[in-house]
Amino acid sequence: MAAAAAGAGSGPWAAQEKQFPPALLSFFIYNPRFGPREGQENKILFYHPNEVEKNEKIRNVGLCEAIVQFTRTFSPSKPAKSLHTQKNRQFFNEPEENFWMVMVVRNPIIEKQSKDGKPVIEYQEEELLDKVYSSVLRQCYSMYKLFNGTFLKAMEDGGVKLLKERLEKFFHRYLQTLHLQSCDLLDIFGGISFFPLDKMTYLKIQSFINRMEESLNIVKYTAFLYNDQLIWSGLEQDDMRILYKYLTTSLFPRHIEPELAGRDSPIRAEMPGNLQHYGRFLTGPLNLNDPDAKCRFPKIFVNTDDTYEELHLIVYKAMSAAVCFMIDASVHPTLDFCRRLDSIVGPQLTVLASDICEQFNINKRMSGSEKEPQFKFIYFNHMNLAEKSTVHMRKTPSVSLTSVHPDLMKILGDINSDFTRVDEDEEIIVKAMSDYWVVGKKSDRRELYVILNQKNANLIEVNEEVKKLCATQFNNIFFLD
Amino acid sequence: MGEEDYYLELCERPVQFEKANPVNCVFFDEANKQVFAVRSGGATGVVVKGPDDRNPISFRMDDKGEVKCIKFSLENKILAVQRTSKTVDFCNFIPDNSQLEYTQECKTKNANILGFCWTSSTEIVFITDQGIEFYQVLPEKRSLKLLKSHNLNVNWYMYCPESAVILLSTTVLENVLQPFHFRFPPKQAGTMSKLPKFEIELPAAPKSTKPSLSERDIAMATIYGQLYVLFLRHHSRTSNSTGAEVVLYHLPREGACKKMHILKLNRTGKFALNVVDNLVVVHHQDTETSVIFDIKLRGEFDGSVTFHHPVLPARSIQPYQIPITGPAAVTSQSPVPCKLYSSSWIVFQPDIIISASQGYLWNLQVKLEPIVNLLPDKGRLMDFLLQRKECKMVILSVCSQMLSESDRASLPVIATVFDKLNHEYKKYLDAEQSYAMAVEAGQSRSSPLLKRPVRTQAVLDQSDVYTHVLSAFVEKKEMPHKFVIAVLMEYIRSLNQFQIAVQHYLHELVIKTLVQHNLFYMLHQFLQYHVLSDSKPLACLLLSLESFYPPAHQLSLDMLKRLSTANDEIVEVLLSKHQVLAALRFIRGIGGHDNISARKFLDAAKQTEDNMLFYTIFRFFEQRNQRLRGSPNFTPGEHCEEHVAFFKQIFGDQALMRPTTF
C-alpha cells in the first residue's frame, strides 16, 4: 500500500524540460497589386489570426513583400521560398500570379529550468524542414482550389469581396486541421496509397465503374477506394492527389465512428433501413426515406488549368469500399436520383466490397505470414504518386502517427533534400543513433527510405539487407541495386 | 410480314421426282434419303434420286406384282423389293455380281412382313407382325443368312438410321415400345441388341374410344448427339388443357429410357415434326405456321421434366416459288407459288418434307439472321445461336450490332454476350489442351476414344472478335470513348474470367484508344494493376509513348524487368538515355557483365561528355580485361582503339592501368 501511494504522485521531475512542438503563428494571403493606391490594407485578402492589429498585419505583409522583391533581384525565376529566423520560419508561395500565401511557423521550443528555477526558452532553429512546410503551404492552396476554384475565378465571379469571403470561409476552418507538429516526409510526397489487388478483381471493379457510369448517365468521373487506398481514378493525377488527401484525412475519418458502431447501434438505425445492402452516402442525404432530405453535395473544381470543371462530389460507401461519383455542377442531383443511385450502386458495391475483402485475404495468405520485419520503409514513386509506408500508422483526422523517433524522420527529410539537389540516381546510408541505420535510395524517379535497427551491423551488412528488401518488396519494378 | 421475318425455309434446290399417280408409285427410304419413282411396278422404269447425287439411278425390273417397299442397301449395293407379305426380293447392284433376283421368305411361320430396313451395305432386318429377323446378305451366293431373330407381337415399327435403332410398337394399346440397336463394326457381322422397353403414357381418353398410340404421333431423332423418341401428345377435347405437347423420351445407349422434356405447343390440331440443326420444329397445319424448340435453352424444370416454350413466335415457312426448269422455263412464265403446309406433304426425320403430289423433296432449313431481331433477349439469343451449325457470322454481326450507335446494348448485356462467347471458346481451348497432353503422353494409339476436338463455328476466338467486331468498333468516330474503353475492358475482363490469355493486339487496341484521347493516366493505372499483360511489344510501344507521356519510360522498364528475358533491351534503353552507369550496374547485377561489348558502353560514356563517367567506365573494362585475360589491355577484336586514345588524351598515358606481372 505504501509503495503504491509513494509511486502515485511522482512525476518525471528529474528531466526539467518541456517541449513545445512547432505551431502556426500566422497565415496570410495578399496581392501586392491591390495595395499601393487604395491603401495598404487592401492588399490583404486573408489574415490569420484575425485579431492581430491592422497595422501589424500591414507591417508583416509589407515585410514579406519586401523580402520577396529583394530576393528576386538575385534569382528572378526563383524568389525566396522561406525565411529562417531564430524564433520562426516563414514560407512563401505564389500559387497564382501576384497572389502570395505566407505561412509563419514557430520553431519548436525547449523550455529548461535554469539553476535559479527560472524557465529558459530555447528555440530549435534547425528542426523544421523547409521542404515539408513548403509542401504544406502548397497543399493549403490545392485544397482551397479543390473546393473553391482559383483565386482568379473568384475575382472574375465577384471581385475581391467574393474572394475574401471564400478565403475566410475556407481557411478559418482548414487552418485548425493543419497539425504542423506531425508533418513529415509524406507531406512532401503528397502521395497516394494504392490498394494491392489481383488483376481479376481489378477488372471486376472496372466493369462495375463502367456500368455505374452508364446507368447513372450524368456521372462524369468516378474514383474507387478500398480501405482508404485508391484503386481507380477517373480524374487526372493532380486532382486525384488532393481529392485523395481530402478523403483520407478529412472525410473518411469523420465517418469512421458510425461504421465501427455496427448495424444494430443507434447511429446505424438512423440510416435508411435497407436490409439488402450496406451502402450509404458520405456526402449528401443522410436518410433517403426523409422526403425533406437535402441533396447538397460538396462542389469541387478540377482541371483548372484548361477545361475548368465544376463538379458535385458524391461519396458513397459500402463496408470498406468507397466510390466517388463526380457529376457536372450544372446538374442538380435530386432525391430521386440519390434513391436511384442507392438502389443501383448499393447492392452491387456491397457484393464487390466483400469480393475485394475475400480476394485480399486470399492474397495475403498466399504471400505468407505477415511477420514484423526488421526494418521499416517509405517508398514513393514520382511517376504515379504511389506511396507506401510501414513507418506510419493509420492516419486519424487529428494526427498522423509514426512508429519511429522524430529524429529519424528528420534524417529521412534531410536525405530527401539531398536527393532533390541532383538529378542522378543515388544512394545515401546514414548511421543514426542507437543502432539505427537509415538508407535512402533513388532510382529513376523512385525513392526508397529504409530504417534498420540491427545491433553492431556494418555498412556492408546494411547494404545487403536493403538489397534483400528490394528483392522481396520491389521485385516487379525496375529498381537499380 | 416482311421477308426478313421468316426463320424457316425450304432448301433452294429440292430433289425433284415424278409425281405420284396411279401408274407411278413413289417410295422414300429414310436411310439413304432416296426417293424411288416406280412406274408400272418397275417394268417401265425405276428412277432413284438422292439429295446429294444429282445423277439419278435408273433401271428397269420385271413387274412381279405391286411393290410395297423398295430400298437400296447402304452405298447402293443391293436393292431389296418387297412385293408380298411373306417375301422380299433382292437384286445385286455390285459390278461382276449376278443381277438375277433372289428371294428371302421370312422365317417365322404365318408371319407377315411389315417392312424391312437395311442396317449396312449387306445387312437387313425384316420386321414382321411377330418379331424381327436380322439377316446377312451374301450377294455372290445370292442368298441370305439369318444372324438373329426375336419374337414379339408388333403393331408397327420405326427406324432411325443415324442411330441404327428400330422401335417396335407392342401390346394392345400399342404404347409399349421395344427398341433394338444394331451395331455394324467394319468387316464383321453386325450385332443386334435389345434395349429396355418402355411405355408411352397415353393421355386420358373418353371411355367410348379405345386409346392407342398411333405411329403418326411418334418420331425418332438425334438431338445434340442423343437419341430421342418424340411423342406428339394430343389432348382430348374434353380435358381443359391448353393444348398439345411434344414429349421427348431420351433413349440412351445403355440404361432405361427416360422422359426428359415437354414442349408446350399451346394449340391443338394437326402437327408434324422435324428436327433441324438440333432444333425441334413443330408444324401446325391449321394455322400454317411452325414453331421451334431448343432443349438446350433454359426451361422450367419441375424436378423430373423440363418444360419448354417455343423459342420464337410462330411463323410460316418462307413462301416458296416452284422453280421452273427445263424447256418449260420461258421467261414470260412466272414461277408458281408452292402451297405450303399442304395436306399432301409427308414429313420425315430429321428435316425432310416431301410433296408426293408435286414431286418434290425438300430439306427444311433454319435461317438465323431473322432470329436476331425476333429474340430481344441477347443472352438467350446467344445461347440459341451458339448451338447452331452456321452461327459464326451471325454471332459476329450480333456483336457488331450491339456496339453500333443505333442499337447499342447496355454494358451488362455486352458483358453477358462476351461471357457466353468466351465460355464456348474456353471449352474448346481446354479440350484442345487435354488432347495435346494426351497425344504427348502417347495415348493416341492405345485409346481409340481420343479424338481431336472439333472446332465448331461457335468457337469465336480473340482474333475473330478483333477482326470482325472490335477493330471496326474502335474506329467509329461518333462513339464516345468512354464506351469504347468500357467495351474493350469488358472483353478483357471476360477473357480473364475464363482464364484465357489475352492477345497482344487487344492490349494494343486499348492503348491506342487511350492514347488517342490523351487518357495517359488511365493507361498508367491499367498498367499498374497489370491489366495489360507484360510483353516485349507492349514495352516497346510504351517506350515510343515517352515523348507524350514521360512516365511511360518507367512503365516500360518495369515491364522489361518483369519479363526477365529482356535484359539486352533494358541495357539498350538505359544507354540510349545516357544512363551508362545504371546500365552497367544493371548488367552486373544480373551477372552478365563479362559478355557485354566494351565498345558499346565506352561509346555511350563518351557521348555524355562527362569525363569522370568515361574514366569510371574505362577503368571498369580494364579491370574486366585484367580479370578475364590477365591484362588490362583491350584486344583488337573489341575495337576500342579510339577510346584508349581518347582516355590517354584526357587523363594521360600514366592513368592507364598497369598490367600486373608475376
Side-chain angles (χ1 to χ4, degrees):
Chain A
M1 280 301 271
S10 71
W13 291 109
Q16 299 271 328
E17 260 185 31
K18 266 194 202 163
Q19 292 204 6
F20 297 95
L24 183 69
L25 280 183
S26 57
F27 184 99
F28 44 90
I29 300 165
Y30 67 91
N31 187 329
R33 296 290 160 97
F34 295 175
R37 277 168 216 280
E38 306 115 64
Q40 288 291 314
E41 79 232 64
N42 284 339
K43 287 181 187 171
I44 307 171
L45 300 167
F46 173 79
Y47 200 103
H48 165 86
N50 198 24
E51 303 79 54
V52 173
E53 200 256 323
K54 188 171 112 188
N55 283 330
E56 195 189 331
K57 285 183 186 171
I58 294 171
R59 236 187 358 258
N60 287 338
V61 169
L63 179 65
C64 291
E65 221 183 309
I67 292 164
V68 170
Q69 274 307 328
F70 174 67
T71 54
R72 212 192 276 274
T73 48
F74 303 105
S75 168
S77 60
K78 286 185 195 164
K81 290 239 171 74
S82 67
L83 175 71
H84 297 205
T85 67
Q86 187 204 8
K87 291 182 181 176
N88 60 44
R89 245 183 235 197
Q90 306 196 8
F91 299 93
F92 314 114
N93 180 29
E94 186 189 17
E96 293 178 40
E97 204 183 356
N98 292 317
F99 285 94
W100 285 87
M101 294 174 84
V102 179
M103 179 169 78
V104 185
V105 181
R106 194 203 60 216
N107 283 328
I109 298 172
I110 296 181
E111 194 186 279
K112 285 180 181 166
Q113 211 80 16
S114 67
K115 279 175 194 144
D116 54 10
K118 277 186 186 154
V120 176
I121 285 175
E122 203 173 279
Y123 286 95
Q124 302 201 285
E125 286 172 58
E126 298 308 319
E127 279 306 294
L128 298 183
L129 287 167
D130 274 355
K131 274 191 83 181
V132 171
Y133 292 91
S134 298
S135 304
V136 169
L137 183 57
R138 275 200 305 277
Q139 227 168 52
C140 287
Y141 171 72
S142 301
M143 199 61 88
Y144 168 85
K145 194 182 70 172
L146 178 70
F147 290 104
N148 296 278
T150 58
F151 296 152
L152 201 65
K153 190 72 177 22
M155 292 291 295
E156 284 166 15
D157 290 351
V160 183
K161 188 168 171 284
L162 183 70
L163 176 60
K164 280 183 172 175
E165 276 169 25
R166 284 189 183 165
L167 290 171
E168 183 63 40
K169 197 172 160 216
F170 178 81
F171 282 108
H172 177 70
R173 264 187 32 205
Y174 184 73
L175 292 179
Q176 294 171 21
T177 67
L178 272 185
H179 308 292
L180 294 179
Q181 70 277 15
S182 53
C183 294
D184 60 32
L185 191 59
L186 290 194
D187 290 283
I188 300 177
F189 295 148
I192 294 171
S193 178
F194 285 92
F195 187 77
L197 205 57
D198 65 294
K199 177 162 64 170
M200 194 55 231
T201 315
Y202 183 78
L203 284 166
K204 272 193 204 164
I205 294 169
Q206 274 299 315
S207 179
F208 163 81
I209 292 166
N210 290 332
R211 286 169 193 211
M212 293 308 109
E213 288 192 358
E214 184 181 62
S215 15
L216 311 165
N217 50 15
I218 54 173
V219 173
K220 216 167 165 182
Y221 305 107
T222 307
F224 193 103
L225 295 94
Y226 189 86
N227 251 352
D228 292 5
Q229 289 173 299
L230 187 66
I231 292 177
W232 170 253
S233 163
L235 283 181
E236 286 304 313
Q237 204 177 43
D238 281 342
D239 291 323
M240 192 61 228
R241 178 187 226 169
I242 195 68
L243 178 63
Y244 178 79
K245 172 93 184 162
Y246 164 70
L247 293 171
T248 53
T249 60
S250 176
L251 185 69
F252 292 160
R254 263 189 276 142
H255 286 84
I256 279 178
E257 267 95 295
E259 241 155 65
L260 294 177
R263 274 184 81 74
D264 302 324
S265 80
I267 309 172
R268 192 83 198 142
E270 307 249 334
M271 309 282 164
N274 202 328
L275 296 171
Q276 273 85 52
H277 63 80
Y278 291 87
R280 65 199 177 92
F281 287 91
L282 296 196
T283 63
L286 275 175
N287 185 351
L288 291 171
N289 295 328
D290 176 6
D292 300 322
K294 292 271 187 305
C295 294
R296 294 244 294 275
F297 294 95
K299 270 189 197 166
I300 59 167
F301 296 78
V302 300
N303 291 328
T304 48
D305 288 339
D306 43 50
T307 45
Y308 206 95
E309 293 158 70
E310 192 175 345
L311 307 165
H312 290 294
L313 174 67
I314 302 174
V315 184
Y316 189 88
K317 198 171 180 187
M319 304 199 276
S320 296
V323 217
C324 305
F325 294 113
M326 287 155 266
I327 63 176
D328 202 281
S330 59
V331 184
H332 289 280
T334 59
L335 188 58
D336 267 354
F337 172 82
C338 293
R339 284 186 182 140
R340 195 159 69 88
L341 187 149
D342 183 66
S343 70
I344 297 173
V345 179
Q348 295 198 47
L349 188 60
T350 305
V351 173
L352 199 54
S354 51
D355 275 7
I356 298 170
C357 180
E358 196 179 316
Q359 204 53 48
F360 179 66
N361 287 334
I362 290 171
N363 294 346
K364 216 160 97 180
R365 237 175 287 135
M366 269 162 47
S367 65
S369 56
E370 286 269 297
K371 256 194 289 174
E372 186 66 23
Q374 283 272 312
F375 43 75
K376 297 192 182 294
F377 70 88
I378 296 177
Y379 163 85
F380 180 69
N381 182 356
H382 288 270
M383 294 279 94
N384 61 355
L385 307 182
E387 165 191 290
K388 198 171 173 183
S389 168
T390 61
V391 169
H392 294 78
M393 328 274 228
R394 200 183 170 79
K395 278 182 184 169
T396 66
S398 55
V399 70
S400 95
L401 292 168
T402 58
S403 55
V404 300
H405 195 272
D407 289 352
L408 289 170
M409 288 309 291
K410 183 157 180 290
I411 295 176
L412 297 186
D414 287 335
I415 296 176
N416 171 266
S417 305
D418 280 345
F419 283 163
T420 321
R421 264 175 233 133
V422 268
D423 259 352
E424 311 267 299
D425 292 354
E426 58 180 344
E427 189 168 331
I428 296 172
I429 302 183
V430 178
K431 171 89 171 77
M433 72 295 175
S434 56
D435 290 322
Y436 277 105
W437 288 80
V438 179
V439 182
K441 275 168 76 84
K442 184 184 166 209
S443 166
D444 189 31
R445 315 283 291 146
R446 288 184 167 110
E447 290 174 33
L448 175 68
Y449 301 85
V450 187
I451 300 170
L452 293 118
N453 186 14
Q454 251 173 338
K455 268 218 152 61
N456 308 320
N458 61 32
L459 193 61
I460 295 168
E461 285 162 350
V462 168
N463 195 36
E464 281 305 310
E465 272 305 312
V466 174
K467 264 192 184 171
K468 251 190 264 169
L469 169 73
C470 291
T472 53
Q473 298 275 337
F474 304 102
N475 61 335
N476 60 348
I477 58 171
F478 186 81
F479 204 64
L480 271 180
D481 289 328
Chain B
M1 191 154 59
E3 192 178 312
E4 61 281 358
D5 227 359
Y6 303 107
Y7 52 80
L8 288 167
E9 65 180 356
L10 301 172
C11 66
E12 223 169 288
R13 298 175 68 191
V15 176
Q16 212 175 339
F17 54 87
E18 196 180 337
K19 291 172 196 168
N21 58 43
V23 290
N24 183 48
C25 296
V26 177
F27 299 90
F28 179 65
D29 169 21
E30 288 179 85
N32 289 324
K33 314 274 183 257
Q34 287 166 329
V35 185
F36 288 74
V38 183
R39 286 181 66 87
S40 325
T44 49
V46 178
V47 179
V48 187
K49 278 188 170 179
D52 304 318
D53 39 55
R54 291 284 143 185
N55 300 323
I57 306 169
S58 15
F59 54 90
R60 273 170 215 286
M61 56 185 192
D62 296 336
D63 183 3
K64 294 181 186 167
E66 188 203 347
V67 173
K68 292 183 168 179
C69 187
I70 179 165
K71 285 170 188 173
F72 269 119
S73 73
L74 302 185
E75 295 153 46
N76 301 333
K77 289 212 164 113
I78 302 161
L79 179 73
V81 187
Q82 186 199 352
R83 296 184 174 103
T84 72
S85 61
K86 302 282 181 199
T87 59
V88 177
D89 304 324
F90 295 89
C91 181
N92 297 337
F93 271 67
I94 309 163
D96 308 329
N97 267 339
S98 164
Q99 293 197 2
L100 272 178
E101 278 192 8
Y102 45 104
T103 303
Q104 177 68 43
E105 193 176 343
C106 70
K107 290 273 194 268
T108 318
K109 290 263 159 58
N110 303 324
N112 290 314
I113 298 176
L114 299 172
F116 61 87
C117 326
W118 287 100
T119 60
S120 77
S121 57
T122 56
E123 279 154 352
I124 192 166
V125 183
F126 289 3
I127 299 98
T128 71
D129 51 2
Q130 288 176 34
I132 58 172
E133 298 167 5
F134 183 33
Y135 292 98
Q136 183 176 22
V137 185
L138 309 163
E140 53 295 335
K141 291 185 183 163
R142 296 179 49 242
S143 67
L144 279 78
K145 184 177 125 193
L146 181 69
L147 295 173
K148 216 170 180 186
S149 66
H150 192 89
N151 291 331
L152 75 170
N153 287 321
V154 178
N155 304 310
W156 46 263
Y157 77 97
M158 188 164 284
Y159 180 49
C160 177
E162 285 93 0
S163 47
V165 168
I166 289 178
L167 211 54
L168 304 178
S169 153
T170 67
T171 72
V172 186
L173 295 180
E174 307 187 6
N175 66 333
V176 175
L177 301 178
Q178 173 62 62
F180 286 91
H181 179 225
F182 296 85
R183 261 174 286 214
F184 28 88
K187 293 179 187 171
Q188 222 182 303
T191 59
M192 172 178 100
S193 52
K194 189 178 162 193
L195 302 177
K197 64 182 174 194
F198 61 98
E199 189 181 328
I200 301 275
E201 297 162 36
L202 294 173
K207 274 171 192 157
S208 55
T209 56
K210 185 196 110 187
S212 75
L213 180 66
S214 159
E215 183 185 354
R216 278 201 316 263
D217 295 335
I218 290 289
M220 263 198 294
T222 308
I223 306 170
Y224 293 119
Q226 297 295 315
L227 180 63
Y228 286 92
V229 174
L230 290 78
F231 168 46
L232 183 62
R233 179 153 68 182
H234 302 275
H235 280 274
S236 53
R237 254 166 260 133
T238 48
S239 75
N240 43 11
S241 69
T242 47
E245 54 196 26
V246 177
V247 186
L248 268 64
Y249 293 83
H250 178 218
L251 194 57
R253 280 283 140 81
E254 269 151 46
C257 183
K258 190 175 177 296
K259 187 159 99 176
M260 297 278 280
H261 301 278
I262 292 183
L263 317 179
K264 305 292 282 182
L265 300 177
N266 294 325
R267 43 174 75 175
T268 56
K270 279 176 86 178
F271 298 99
L273 301 175
N274 274 133
V275 171
V276 183
D277 202 359
N278 293 315
L279 296 168
V280 179
V281 183
V282 183
H283 307 289
H284 187 231
Q285 203 180 25
D286 309 24
T287 57
E288 298 194 355
T289 57
S290 308
V291 287
I292 55 178
F293 293 87
D294 184 350
I295 57 168
K296 275 231 177 145
L297 284 190
R298 208 211 306 227
E300 300 140 31
F301 186 61
D302 75 347
S304 65
V305 189
T306 311
F307 292 85
H308 297 270
H309 293 279
V311 179
L312 302 164
R315 287 285 185 273
S316 160
I317 296 170
Q318 181 168 338
Y320 184 82
Q321 312 280 336
I322 288 178
I324 296 153
T325 49
V330 185
T331 40
S332 58
Q333 229 174 328
S334 56
V336 188
C338 174
K339 170 87 182 85
L340 301 175
Y341 299 92
S342 147
S343 56
S344 74
W345 276 15
I346 310 164
V347 169
F348 291 94
Q349 296 319 315
D351 60 347
I352 287 160
I353 295 174
I354 291 176
S355 171
S357 63
Q358 287 168 305
Y360 285 103
L361 178 151
W362 293 282
N363 292 94
L364 186 66
Q365 296 169 339
V366 175
K367 292 203 308 182
L368 297 181
E369 288 84 2
I371 294 171
V372 170
N373 299 320
L374 286 171
L375 237 176
D377 179 343
K378 288 272 190 294
R380 210 171 151 80
L381 175 65
M382 274 299 142
D383 286 339
F384 178 83
L385 290 177
L386 283 168
Q387 299 298 340
R388 307 285 73 86
K389 252 194 226 106
E390 306 275 327
C391 61
K392 183 167 173 171
M393 291 327 280
V394 180
I395 290 174
L396 288 169
S397 78
V398 170
C399 292
S400 294
Q401 192 191 13
M402 75 181 179
L403 301 181
S404 73
E405 191 153 40
S406 50
D407 277 317
R408 188 168 131 178
S410 71
L411 285 172
V413 169
I414 292 167
T416 308
V417 169
F418 285 156
D419 284 348
K420 289 189 188 291
L421 291 186
N422 289 329
H423 177 69
E424 211 57 38
Y425 178 25
K426 174 67 174 171
K427 267 203 309 204
Y428 171 73
L429 289 177
D430 283 350
E432 268 278 90
Q433 197 191 7
S434 45
Y435 171 76
M437 272 161 63
V439 168
E440 212 164 283
Q443 292 174 1
S444 50
R445 257 163 262 138
S446 54
S447 164
L449 287 171
L450 187 66
K451 266 192 259 167
R452 196 188 179 85
V454 182
R455 183 174 173 148
T456 66
Q457 286 209 3
V459 177
L460 280 93
D461 62 18
Q462 295 172 63
S463 119
D464 293 324
V465 175
Y466 173 82
T467 314
H468 298 277
V469 182
L470 296 178
S471 60
F473 166 64
V474 300
E475 291 300 319
K476 283 185 190 151
K477 294 275 179 295
E478 69 278 10
M479 263 318 148
H481 65 260
K482 241 184 189 181
F483 181 66
V484 174
I485 293 158
V487 167
L488 293 177
M489 291 315 285
E490 207 55 71
Y491 187 57
I492 290 175
R493 180 212 42 87
S494 180
L495 288 169
N496 271 292
Q497 196 153 313
F498 288 97
Q499 291 161 327
I500 302 168
V502 180
Q503 294 293 323
H504 163 67
Y505 45 75
L506 287 175
H507 291 147
E508 211 167 270
L509 209 56
V510 173
I511 296 178
K512 215 177 91 185
T513 312
L514 291 169
V515 168
Q516 235 165 40
H517 295 92
N518 275 318
L519 299 169
F520 288 105
Y521 188 45
M522 266 191 199
L523 172 62
H524 200 136
Q525 295 183 63
F526 288 152
L527 289 162
Q528 203 174 318
Y529 281 95
H530 304 235
V531 165
L532 309 174
S533 317
D534 298 341
S535 69
K536 266 190 210 179
L538 198 57
C540 294
L541 182 62
L542 285 171
L543 267 186
S544 71
L545 293 174
E546 194 196 345
S547 53
F548 307 101
Y549 186 65
H553 177 253
Q554 191 190 64
L555 289 167
S556 170
L557 268 185
D558 290 352
M559 194 176 277
L560 290 171
K561 160 88 186 298
R562 285 192 297 268
L563 285 169
S564 76
T565 54
N567 296 329
D568 294 345
E569 283 84 350
I570 291 177
V571 170
E572 291 300 328
V573 169
L574 292 173
L575 287 182
S576 73
K577 293 250 128 197
H578 306 300
Q579 292 178 296
V580 190
L581 211 53
L584 201 56
R585 286 174 67 184
F586 169 74
I587 203 81
R588 196 181 57 184
I590 58 162
H593 53 294
D594 285 353
N595 306 316
I596 47 171
S597 148
R599 187 191 158 88
K600 191 195 272 179
F601 281 78
L602 289 170
D603 270 342
K606 201 176 156 199
Q607 272 172 29
T608 61
E609 292 172 5
D610 177 347
N611 287 344
M612 276 327 288
L613 179 68
F614 184 80
Y615 182 92
T616 310
I617 302 295
F618 192 87
R619 183 51 39 98
F620 173 86
F621 283 107
E622 279 187 316
Q623 282 166 353
R624 184 182 81 166
N625 294 343
Q626 174 74 44
R627 187 163 42 81
L628 295 178
R629 292 192 299 268
S631 156
N633 298 331
F634 290 90
T635 62
E638 291 179 278
H639 303 289
C640 292
E641 294 79 10
E642 56 164 312
H643 301 102
V644 175
F646 181 71
F647 185 85
K648 282 190 206 161
Q649 180 200 326
I650 295 189
F651 303 105
D653 286 10
Q654 71 287 356
L656 284 173
M657 202 171 138
R658 302 281 150 106
T660 37
T661 43
F662 297 100

